[in-house]
Amino acid sequence: MKTRHVLLLVFLMMIFAACSNDTEQADNEVDKSSLIPALSEYSDEEIEDIDRGQELVTHTNDMLPENVGNNLSCASCHAGAGRGDSLNLIGVTEKFPQYSEREGKDVTLEDRINGCFLRSMDGKEIDPEGETMEAFISYFEYLSKNIESGDQYDFMTVDERADNIPAPNVEQGANEFSRYNCMSCHGRAGTESAYTGPDLWGPGSFNDGAGMARFSNMQYFIKHYMPKGQEGTLSEQEASNIAAYILMQDRPEFEGVNRFPNGNKPDDYLNEETKEALRNNYLDWTDFERVQDE
Ligand code: HEC
Ligand code: HEC
Protein backbone atom coordinates (compact mmCIF):
# COMPACT_ATOMS: atom_id res chain seq x y z
CA MET A 1 0.00 0.00 0.00
CA LYS A 2 1.21 3.49 -0.79
CA THR A 3 1.90 5.78 2.19
CA ARG A 4 -0.84 8.07 0.96
CA HIS A 5 -3.35 5.20 1.19
CA VAL A 6 -2.15 4.17 4.60
CA LEU A 7 -2.56 7.74 5.81
CA LEU A 8 -6.05 7.90 4.34
CA LEU A 9 -6.96 4.64 6.00
CA VAL A 10 -5.64 5.82 9.37
CA PHE A 11 -7.53 9.06 8.93
CA LEU A 12 -10.79 7.22 8.18
CA MET A 13 -10.27 4.93 11.14
CA MET A 14 -9.78 7.96 13.37
CA ILE A 15 -13.02 9.53 12.17
CA PHE A 16 -14.84 6.26 12.67
CA ALA A 17 -13.48 5.84 16.18
CA ALA A 18 -14.33 9.43 17.06
CA CYS A 19 -17.89 9.04 15.76
CA SER A 20 -18.63 5.80 17.50
CA ASN A 21 -17.23 7.29 20.69
CA ASP A 22 -19.50 10.29 20.32
CA THR A 23 -22.67 8.28 19.97
CA GLU A 24 -21.70 6.20 22.95
CA GLN A 25 -21.15 9.31 25.04
CA ALA A 26 -24.34 10.89 23.79
CA ASP A 27 -26.83 8.26 24.86
CA ASN A 28 -24.60 5.95 26.86
CA GLU A 29 -26.28 2.96 25.36
CA VAL A 30 -23.84 0.33 26.46
CA ASP A 31 -24.58 -3.30 26.95
CA LYS A 32 -24.19 -3.35 30.71
CA SER A 33 -23.17 -7.00 30.86
CA SER A 34 -20.13 -6.14 28.72
CA LEU A 35 -18.87 -3.99 31.60
CA ILE A 36 -18.73 -6.94 33.97
CA PRO A 37 -15.28 -8.56 33.90
CA ALA A 38 -14.62 -12.19 33.03
CA LEU A 39 -14.29 -14.45 36.05
CA SER A 40 -11.12 -15.90 34.50
CA GLU A 41 -9.34 -12.74 35.70
CA TYR A 42 -9.84 -13.92 39.29
CA SER A 43 -8.26 -16.53 41.53
CA ASP A 44 -10.28 -19.53 42.75
CA GLU A 45 -10.48 -18.02 46.21
CA GLU A 46 -11.77 -14.71 44.86
CA ILE A 47 -14.33 -16.49 42.67
CA GLU A 48 -15.62 -18.34 45.71
CA ASP A 49 -16.24 -15.03 47.50
CA ILE A 50 -17.88 -13.43 44.45
CA ASP A 51 -20.18 -16.44 43.95
CA ARG A 52 -21.15 -16.43 47.60
CA GLY A 53 -21.94 -12.71 47.35
CA GLN A 54 -24.15 -13.28 44.33
CA GLU A 55 -25.93 -16.16 46.10
CA LEU A 56 -26.51 -13.93 49.12
CA VAL A 57 -28.04 -11.19 46.97
CA THR A 58 -30.29 -13.75 45.25
CA HIS A 59 -31.35 -15.92 48.21
CA THR A 60 -30.99 -13.49 51.11
CA ASN A 61 -33.97 -14.71 53.11
CA ASP A 62 -33.05 -18.40 52.80
CA MET A 63 -29.37 -17.92 53.55
CA LEU A 64 -29.64 -15.35 56.36
CA PRO A 65 -32.82 -16.17 58.28
CA GLU A 66 -31.43 -14.47 61.42
CA ASN A 67 -31.05 -11.18 59.62
CA VAL A 68 -34.03 -11.17 57.28
CA GLY A 69 -37.51 -10.69 58.74
CA ASN A 70 -39.50 -11.05 55.51
CA ASN A 71 -39.64 -13.17 52.35
CA LEU A 72 -37.50 -10.89 50.23
CA SER A 73 -34.04 -11.11 48.77
CA CYS A 74 -31.99 -8.16 47.60
CA ALA A 75 -32.84 -9.33 44.06
CA SER A 76 -36.56 -8.77 44.76
CA CYS A 77 -35.85 -5.14 43.94
CA HIS A 78 -32.31 -5.20 42.52
CA ALA A 79 -33.25 -7.40 39.56
CA GLY A 80 -30.82 -10.02 38.29
CA ALA A 81 -28.79 -9.71 41.50
CA GLY A 82 -27.94 -6.10 40.63
CA ARG A 83 -27.18 -6.73 36.93
CA GLY A 84 -30.71 -6.14 35.66
CA ASP A 85 -32.72 -3.06 34.80
CA SER A 86 -34.30 -2.22 38.11
CA LEU A 87 -32.08 -0.61 40.75
CA ASN A 88 -28.92 -1.76 39.02
CA LEU A 89 -25.83 -2.08 41.21
CA ILE A 90 -23.00 -2.08 38.63
CA GLY A 91 -20.60 0.65 39.76
CA VAL A 92 -22.07 0.92 43.24
CA THR A 93 -18.72 0.60 45.05
CA GLU A 94 -17.54 3.78 43.30
CA LYS A 95 -20.36 5.80 44.87
CA PHE A 96 -19.37 5.24 48.50
CA PRO A 97 -18.61 6.68 51.03
CA GLN A 98 -21.50 8.98 50.27
CA TYR A 99 -23.43 11.63 52.18
CA SER A 100 -26.76 10.28 53.42
CA GLU A 101 -29.59 12.67 54.25
CA ARG A 102 -31.23 9.92 56.27
CA GLU A 103 -28.19 9.56 58.55
CA GLY A 104 -26.97 13.15 58.33
CA LYS A 105 -23.38 12.02 57.65
CA ASP A 106 -21.17 10.17 55.19
CA VAL A 107 -21.96 6.47 55.09
CA THR A 108 -19.90 3.54 53.80
CA LEU A 109 -21.20 0.87 51.44
CA GLU A 110 -21.33 -1.44 54.48
CA ASP A 111 -23.61 1.06 56.27
CA ARG A 112 -25.81 1.30 53.18
CA ILE A 113 -26.16 -2.47 52.93
CA ASN A 114 -27.08 -2.65 56.61
CA GLY A 115 -29.64 0.12 56.03
CA CYS A 116 -31.30 -2.26 53.55
CA PHE A 117 -31.21 -5.09 56.11
CA LEU A 118 -33.05 -2.93 58.66
CA ARG A 119 -35.68 -1.58 56.28
CA SER A 120 -36.06 -3.38 52.93
CA MET A 121 -35.38 -6.75 54.58
CA ASP A 122 -37.22 -5.80 57.81
CA GLY A 123 -34.40 -7.49 59.69
CA LYS A 124 -31.18 -7.02 61.61
CA GLU A 125 -27.78 -5.68 60.62
CA ILE A 126 -25.03 -8.09 59.64
CA ASP A 127 -21.56 -7.82 61.19
CA PRO A 128 -19.87 -5.06 59.16
CA GLU A 129 -16.54 -6.85 59.52
CA GLY A 130 -17.74 -10.44 59.13
CA GLU A 131 -17.39 -12.89 56.25
CA THR A 132 -20.92 -12.34 55.02
CA MET A 133 -20.33 -8.62 54.55
CA GLU A 134 -17.03 -9.44 52.88
CA ALA A 135 -18.85 -11.62 50.34
CA PHE A 136 -21.40 -8.88 49.56
CA ILE A 137 -18.59 -6.37 49.06
CA SER A 138 -16.52 -8.77 46.89
CA TYR A 139 -19.50 -9.29 44.63
CA PHE A 140 -20.25 -5.56 44.34
CA GLU A 141 -16.56 -4.82 43.70
CA TYR A 142 -16.58 -7.41 40.95
CA LEU A 143 -19.70 -5.85 39.37
CA SER A 144 -18.03 -2.42 39.58
CA LYS A 145 -14.51 -3.32 38.47
CA ASN A 146 -14.71 -1.56 35.09
CA ILE A 147 -16.49 1.54 36.36
CA GLU A 148 -14.61 4.57 37.55
CA SER A 149 -15.74 7.04 40.13
CA GLY A 150 -17.79 9.73 38.38
CA ASP A 151 -18.74 7.56 35.37
CA GLN A 152 -22.39 8.00 34.49
CA TYR A 153 -24.40 5.44 32.57
CA ASP A 154 -28.12 5.39 31.90
CA PHE A 155 -28.61 2.10 33.67
CA MET A 156 -27.20 3.42 36.95
CA THR A 157 -29.48 3.98 39.89
CA VAL A 158 -29.50 7.73 40.45
CA ASP A 159 -32.76 9.19 41.64
CA GLU A 160 -35.36 6.56 40.92
CA ARG A 161 -38.43 8.69 41.37
CA ALA A 162 -40.45 11.11 39.33
CA ASP A 163 -41.55 14.67 39.98
CA ASN A 164 -45.08 15.65 39.04
CA ILE A 165 -46.72 12.29 39.68
CA PRO A 166 -50.44 12.42 38.89
CA ALA A 167 -52.51 12.14 42.08
CA PRO A 168 -53.61 8.52 42.56
CA ASN A 169 -57.02 6.94 42.90
CA VAL A 170 -56.67 3.95 45.22
CA GLU A 171 -59.86 2.17 44.10
CA GLN A 172 -58.81 2.44 40.47
CA GLY A 173 -55.46 1.05 41.57
CA ALA A 174 -57.15 -2.03 43.01
CA ASN A 175 -58.92 -2.63 39.68
CA GLU A 176 -55.81 -2.09 37.61
CA PHE A 177 -53.79 -4.34 39.90
CA SER A 178 -56.06 -7.24 38.96
CA ARG A 179 -56.58 -6.13 35.36
CA TYR A 180 -52.82 -6.21 34.72
CA ASN A 181 -52.45 -9.61 36.38
CA CYS A 182 -49.86 -8.54 38.89
CA MET A 183 -51.06 -11.45 41.03
CA SER A 184 -50.10 -14.01 38.40
CA CYS A 185 -46.52 -13.57 39.61
CA HIS A 186 -46.90 -11.91 42.97
CA GLY A 187 -49.33 -14.48 44.37
CA ARG A 188 -51.48 -13.52 47.27
CA ALA A 189 -49.22 -11.27 49.27
CA GLY A 190 -48.62 -12.39 52.82
CA THR A 191 -49.45 -16.01 52.15
CA GLU A 192 -47.00 -18.71 51.34
CA SER A 193 -46.83 -19.28 47.62
CA ALA A 194 -44.70 -20.71 44.90
CA TYR A 195 -45.10 -17.68 42.63
CA THR A 196 -42.03 -16.04 41.20
CA GLY A 197 -42.60 -12.46 42.28
CA PRO A 198 -41.86 -11.15 45.78
CA ASP A 199 -44.45 -10.16 48.41
CA LEU A 200 -45.80 -6.67 47.80
CA TRP A 201 -47.35 -6.24 51.26
CA GLY A 202 -48.08 -8.19 54.43
CA PRO A 203 -45.53 -9.67 56.85
CA GLY A 204 -43.35 -11.00 54.01
CA SER A 205 -42.71 -7.57 52.52
CA PHE A 206 -40.43 -4.58 53.23
CA ASN A 207 -41.20 -2.32 56.19
CA ASP A 208 -42.57 1.20 56.14
CA GLY A 209 -39.14 2.77 56.68
CA ALA A 210 -37.78 1.30 53.42
CA GLY A 211 -37.00 3.40 50.35
CA MET A 212 -39.69 1.46 48.52
CA ALA A 213 -42.29 2.63 51.08
CA ARG A 214 -41.93 6.09 49.56
CA PHE A 215 -44.79 6.66 47.17
CA SER A 216 -42.52 8.29 44.55
CA ASN A 217 -40.09 5.32 44.54
CA MET A 218 -42.88 2.76 44.23
CA GLN A 219 -44.60 4.69 41.44
CA TYR A 220 -41.33 4.94 39.48
CA PHE A 221 -40.51 1.24 39.98
CA ILE A 222 -43.92 0.12 38.72
CA LYS A 223 -43.93 2.56 35.80
CA HIS A 224 -40.49 1.51 34.56
CA TYR A 225 -40.03 -2.13 35.57
CA MET A 226 -43.45 -3.78 35.93
CA PRO A 227 -45.35 -5.81 34.87
CA LYS A 228 -42.18 -7.81 34.29
CA GLY A 229 -41.93 -8.77 30.63
CA GLN A 230 -44.19 -5.86 29.63
CA GLU A 231 -42.29 -3.05 31.30
CA GLY A 232 -43.24 0.48 30.34
CA THR A 233 -46.79 -0.33 29.22
CA LEU A 234 -48.56 1.36 32.16
CA SER A 235 -49.31 5.08 32.10
CA GLU A 236 -47.98 7.39 34.82
CA GLN A 237 -51.54 7.57 36.15
CA GLU A 238 -51.94 3.78 36.30
CA ALA A 239 -48.56 3.36 38.00
CA SER A 240 -49.60 6.03 40.50
CA ASN A 241 -52.95 4.34 41.25
CA ILE A 242 -51.37 0.91 41.68
CA ALA A 243 -48.49 2.25 43.82
CA ALA A 244 -51.01 3.92 46.15
CA TYR A 245 -53.09 0.75 46.31
CA ILE A 246 -50.05 -1.39 47.24
CA LEU A 247 -48.68 1.07 49.80
CA MET A 248 -52.05 1.54 51.53
CA GLN A 249 -51.99 -2.16 52.52
CA ASP A 250 -50.56 -3.38 55.83
CA ARG A 251 -46.84 -4.06 56.06
CA PRO A 252 -44.30 -4.41 58.87
CA GLU A 253 -43.52 -1.25 60.81
CA PHE A 254 -39.95 0.04 60.96
CA GLU A 255 -38.94 0.07 64.61
CA GLY A 256 -36.11 2.56 64.32
CA VAL A 257 -36.50 6.18 63.36
CA ASN A 258 -35.80 7.60 59.93
CA ARG A 259 -34.04 10.56 61.43
CA PHE A 260 -32.99 12.93 58.70
CA PRO A 261 -31.22 15.00 61.40
CA ASN A 262 -30.50 17.90 59.05
CA GLY A 263 -34.02 18.20 57.69
CA ASN A 264 -35.01 17.39 54.10
CA LYS A 265 -37.04 14.43 55.29
CA PRO A 266 -39.07 13.18 52.33
CA ASP A 267 -42.79 13.63 52.96
CA ASP A 268 -44.00 10.57 51.06
CA TYR A 269 -43.15 7.58 53.29
CA LEU A 270 -46.44 5.71 53.61
CA ASN A 271 -46.11 4.73 57.26
CA GLU A 272 -48.91 4.18 59.78
CA GLU A 273 -49.16 7.90 60.43
CA THR A 274 -49.47 9.04 56.81
CA LYS A 275 -51.78 6.15 55.90
CA GLU A 276 -54.07 7.05 58.75
CA ALA A 277 -54.05 10.70 57.69
CA LEU A 278 -54.82 9.78 54.08
CA ARG A 279 -57.66 7.46 55.10
CA ASN A 280 -59.20 10.20 57.21
CA ASN A 281 -58.71 12.91 54.64
CA TYR A 282 -56.61 15.23 56.74
CA LEU A 283 -53.76 14.59 54.35
CA ASP A 284 -54.26 14.80 50.63
CA TRP A 285 -52.05 12.99 48.08
CA THR A 286 -51.32 16.36 46.49
CA ASP A 287 -49.80 17.49 49.83
CA PHE A 288 -46.80 15.36 48.87
CA GLU A 289 -44.14 17.41 47.14
CA ARG A 290 -43.74 15.06 44.18
CA VAL A 291 -47.46 14.66 43.54
CA GLN A 292 -49.03 17.05 41.14
CA ASP A 293 -52.13 19.14 41.76
CA GLU A 294 -54.87 18.46 39.22
C1 HEC B 1 -37.92 -3.59 48.74
C2 HEC B 1 -36.93 -3.25 47.75
C3 HEC B 1 -35.46 -3.40 48.09
C4 HEC B 1 -34.80 -4.49 48.61
C5 HEC B 1 -35.39 -5.81 48.99
C6 HEC B 1 -33.40 -4.12 48.72
N1 HEC B 1 -33.21 -2.84 48.26
FE1 HEC B 1 -31.45 -1.88 48.07
N2 HEC B 1 -32.42 -0.24 47.39
C7 HEC B 1 -33.79 -0.11 47.19
C8 HEC B 1 -34.11 1.22 46.72
C9 HEC B 1 -35.51 1.75 46.40
C10 HEC B 1 -32.89 1.91 46.63
C11 HEC B 1 -32.69 3.34 46.13
C12 HEC B 1 -32.35 4.29 47.19
C13 HEC B 1 -33.48 4.85 47.97
O1 HEC B 1 -34.04 5.84 47.54
O2 HEC B 1 -33.77 4.31 49.08
C14 HEC B 1 -31.84 0.98 47.07
C15 HEC B 1 -30.48 1.26 47.13
C16 HEC B 1 -29.48 0.37 47.45
C17 HEC B 1 -28.06 0.66 47.43
C18 HEC B 1 -27.45 1.99 46.99
C19 HEC B 1 -27.42 2.07 45.49
C20 HEC B 1 -26.83 3.31 44.91
O3 HEC B 1 -26.59 3.29 43.69
O4 HEC B 1 -26.60 4.28 45.63
C21 HEC B 1 -27.40 -0.48 47.79
C22 HEC B 1 -25.90 -0.70 47.89
C23 HEC B 1 -28.41 -1.47 48.07
N3 HEC B 1 -29.66 -0.93 47.86
C24 HEC B 1 -28.13 -2.77 48.48
C25 HEC B 1 -29.11 -3.69 48.85
C26 HEC B 1 -28.81 -4.99 49.42
C27 HEC B 1 -27.42 -5.54 49.65
C28 HEC B 1 -30.00 -5.59 49.66
C29 HEC B 1 -30.25 -6.93 50.30
C30 HEC B 1 -29.63 -7.13 51.62
C31 HEC B 1 -31.06 -4.67 49.21
N4 HEC B 1 -30.47 -3.53 48.75
C32 HEC B 1 -32.40 -4.95 49.26
C33 HEC B 1 -34.71 -1.11 47.35
C34 HEC B 1 -34.45 -2.36 47.87
C1 HEC C 1 -44.08 -12.08 35.00
C2 HEC C 1 -44.08 -11.97 36.44
C3 HEC C 1 -44.43 -10.61 37.05
C4 HEC C 1 -45.54 -9.82 36.80
C5 HEC C 1 -46.70 -10.07 35.83
C6 HEC C 1 -45.41 -8.69 37.68
N1 HEC C 1 -44.27 -8.79 38.44
FE1 HEC C 1 -43.61 -7.46 39.85
N2 HEC C 1 -41.90 -8.55 40.10
C7 HEC C 1 -41.61 -9.74 39.46
C8 HEC C 1 -40.28 -10.17 39.83
C9 HEC C 1 -39.59 -11.46 39.36
C10 HEC C 1 -39.75 -9.18 40.68
C11 HEC C 1 -38.35 -9.14 41.30
C12 HEC C 1 -37.50 -8.11 40.58
C13 HEC C 1 -37.15 -8.51 39.17
O1 HEC C 1 -36.63 -9.62 38.95
O2 HEC C 1 -37.44 -7.71 38.26
C14 HEC C 1 -40.82 -8.19 40.86
C15 HEC C 1 -40.73 -7.09 41.70
C16 HEC C 1 -41.76 -6.20 41.96
C17 HEC C 1 -41.74 -5.14 42.94
C18 HEC C 1 -40.59 -4.82 43.88
C19 HEC C 1 -40.46 -5.85 44.98
C20 HEC C 1 -41.47 -5.76 46.10
O3 HEC C 1 -41.66 -6.77 46.82
O4 HEC C 1 -42.09 -4.70 46.32
C21 HEC C 1 -42.93 -4.47 42.84
C22 HEC C 1 -43.37 -3.28 43.65
C23 HEC C 1 -43.71 -5.11 41.81
N3 HEC C 1 -42.97 -6.17 41.29
C24 HEC C 1 -44.99 -4.72 41.39
C25 HEC C 1 -45.70 -5.31 40.35
C26 HEC C 1 -46.97 -4.81 39.85
C27 HEC C 1 -47.70 -3.62 40.41
C28 HEC C 1 -47.35 -5.62 38.81
C29 HEC C 1 -48.57 -5.49 37.92
C30 HEC C 1 -48.69 -4.19 37.24
C31 HEC C 1 -46.31 -6.64 38.68
N4 HEC C 1 -45.33 -6.41 39.62
C32 HEC C 1 -46.35 -7.66 37.75
C33 HEC C 1 -42.45 -10.43 38.62
C34 HEC C 1 -43.64 -9.95 38.08
Side-chain angles (χ1 to χ4, degrees):
M1 229 192 280
K2 289 198 182 114
T3 325
R4 199 153 41 97
H5 288 160
V6 173
L7 280 177
L8 183 64
L9 187 66
V10 168
F11 181 57
L12 286 174
M13 279 165 70
M14 277 165 64
I15 290 180
F16 182 73
C19 288
S20 54
N21 240 346
D22 269 2
T23 38
E24 205 168 86
Q25 302 263 296
D27 52 22
N28 262 331
E29 257 187 37
V30 288
D31 170 10
K32 45 188 180 300
S33 57
S34 71
L35 290 166
I36 302 175
L39 275 174
S40 54
E41 295 175 24
Y42 291 85
S43 72
D44 286 352
E45 207 180 310
E46 287 167 328
I47 293 174
E48 215 173 283
D49 249 9
I50 293 167
D51 281 350
R52 185 166 153 73
Q54 177 162 349
E55 286 284 296
L56 283 163
V57 172
T58 315
H59 306 291
T60 328
N61 53 337
D62 292 335
M63 292 172 73
L64 302 172
E66 295 288 305
N67 302 87
V68 179
N70 58 24
N71 291 338
L72 303 189
S73 66
C74 312
S76 298
C77 299
H78 300 279
R83 302 164 185 236
D85 290 334
S86 67
L87 299 167
N88 188 285
L89 293 172
I90 297 174
V92 71
T93 55
E94 297 304 310
K95 300 187 191 169
F96 289 85
Q98 182 190 88
Y99 180 75
S100 158
E101 292 276 8
R102 190 158 69 188
E103 308 302 333
K105 58 174 187 193
D106 281 353
V107 297
T108 60
L109 180 56
E110 287 85 345
D111 295 330
R112 186 68 185 82
I113 292 172
N114 268 330
C116 278
F117 271 100
L118 292 174
R119 299 174 174 84
S120 294
M121 314 307 288
D122 190 38
K124 297 194 189 79
E125 295 185 344
I126 57 173
D127 177 358
E129 274 151 30
E131 277 179 12
T132 303
M133 184 62 90
E134 219 172 275
F136 272 109
I137 301 287
S138 304
Y139 175 62
F140 293 142
E141 272 172 355
Y142 158 72
L143 285 188
S144 308
K145 175 137 190 269
N146 293 329
I147 308 286
E148 279 172 38
S149 176
D151 281 359
Q152 266 309 328
Y153 290 98
D154 285 347
F155 61 78
M156 284 182 166
T157 301
V158 190
D159 183 351
E160 301 250 320
R161 38 193 168 269
D163 290 314
N164 304 324
I165 303 171
N169 176 320
V170 180
E171 275 155 46
Q172 291 274 351
N175 292 335
E176 284 152 1
F177 187 77
S178 49
R179 177 144 37 95
Y180 290 108
N181 289 321
C182 307
M183 276 311 205
S184 64
C185 293
H186 288 283
R188 195 148 292 278
T191 61
E192 211 151 303
S193 76
Y195 294 95
T196 52
D199 288 13
L200 300 179
W201 63 80
S205 191
F206 54 87
N207 71 34
D208 64 7
M212 204 63 132
R214 288 188 57 186
F215 177 64
S216 52
N217 278 348
M218 179 56 96
Q219 193 270 349
Y220 187 96
F221 191 96
I222 294 172
K223 172 74 183 93
H224 292 266
Y225 309 123
M226 291 293 139
K228 204 170 168 73
Q230 289 165 285
E231 299 87 342
T233 53
L234 302 184
S235 66
E236 294 285 349
Q237 181 69 60
E238 288 168 325
S240 169
N241 298 343
I242 298 175
Y245 169 68
I246 292 175
L247 288 179
M248 287 305 281
Q249 311 298 317
D250 289 336
R251 62 180 58 260
E253 277 181 65
F254 177 53
E255 280 159 14
V257 186
N258 276 337
R259 299 183 314 123
F260 292 90
N262 301 327
N264 299 330
K265 183 171 179 173
D267 57 9
D268 64 346
Y269 280 101
L270 289 209
N271 51 28
E272 286 311 311
E273 208 183 315
T274 41
K275 280 195 275 188
E276 186 64 12
L278 284 164
R279 274 192 291 263
N280 294 313
N281 296 324
Y282 48 88
L283 183 69
D284 194 294
W285 291 95
T286 59
D287 292 341
F288 295 138
E289 195 191 325
R290 286 175 187 261
V291 179
Q292 185 181 299
D293 267 314
E294 293 303 309

